């Protein structure tokens, strides 16, 4: 792994995953009912989250998989975490579970200021 691929991990993402800037993400999730998921811990979620988000903790292993398995895999899925690192890992996992369009918030919740 080169230093560049380490620093710019998102360039190696599968086609099913798209990283969106804050404004683009906000516009997308405001267009009606969407699958919006916060993959942070319950404590992080309780300290503040994007309105309408469902909390599914990435670190909960089988509970994470079980909850997502009940969601629509062919509908767009919007996820975020605190900084963007955890949600990228979650996005990869979700693609392996069959999700076809996963949108991740660049910079995570800490970049959200609405």
């Amino acid at each position: 792994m080169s230093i560049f691929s380490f620093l710019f991990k998102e360039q190696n993402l599968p086609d099913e995953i798209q990283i969106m800037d804050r404004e683009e993400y906000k516009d997308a999730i405001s267009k009606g009912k969407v699958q919006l998921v916060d993959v942070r811990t319950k404590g992080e979620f309780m300290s503040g989250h994007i309105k309408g988000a469902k909390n599914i903790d990435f670190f909960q292993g089988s509970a994470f998989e079980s909850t997502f398995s009940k969601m629509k895999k062919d509908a767009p899925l919007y996820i975020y975490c605190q900084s963007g690192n955890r949600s990228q890992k979650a996005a990869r996992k979700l693609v392996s579970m069959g999700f076809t369009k996963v949108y991740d918030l660049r910079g995570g919740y800490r970049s959200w200021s609405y």
Side-chain angles (χ1 to χ4, degrees):
M1 173 186 285
S2 74
I3 186 71
F4 291 110
S5 60
F6 175 77
L7 292 173
F8 303 104
K9 290 180 201 166
E10 68 185 55
Q11 292 179 355
N12 298 322
L13 291 174
D15 292 340
E16 297 87 351
I17 301 171
Q18 182 180 341
I19 309 295
M20 299 175 88
D21 290 325
R22 183 182 59 169
E23 287 295 322
E24 185 181 17
Y25 194 90
K26 179 182 181 249
D27 288 345
I29 65 172
S30 67
K31 291 189 184 344
K33 189 164 173 51
V34 296
Q35 296 185 111
L36 176 61
V37 179
D38 182 325
V39 298
R40 299 177 300 159
T41 65
K42 184 175 184 173
E44 288 173 306
F45 182 80
M46 296 304 286
S47 69
H49 58 272
I50 298 173
K51 184 179 179 184
K54 179 176 183 173
N55 182 221
I56 305 173
D57 186 346
F58 177 67
F59 295 126
Q60 293 302 310
S62 60
F64 174 86
E65 290 181 27
S66 174
T67 306
F68 273 106
S69 71
K70 297 172 186 144
M71 297 176 76
K72 295 179 185 171
K73 290 182 172 58
D74 59 345
L77 175 64
Y78 296 86
I79 64 172
Y80 67 93
C81 65
Q82 188 64 27
S83 67
N85 187 28
R86 199 176 340 168
S87 55
Q88 274 194 34
K89 290 176 185 171
R92 290 177 189 276
K93 175 84 171 164
L94 293 165
V95 166
S96 76
M97 291 172 60
F99 284 85
T100 58
K101 276 292 175 192
V102 181
Y103 298 96
D104 189 8
L105 174 59
R106 184 185 314 276
Y109 186 70
R110 71 176 178 198
S111 73
W112 194 260
S113 60
Y114 299 105

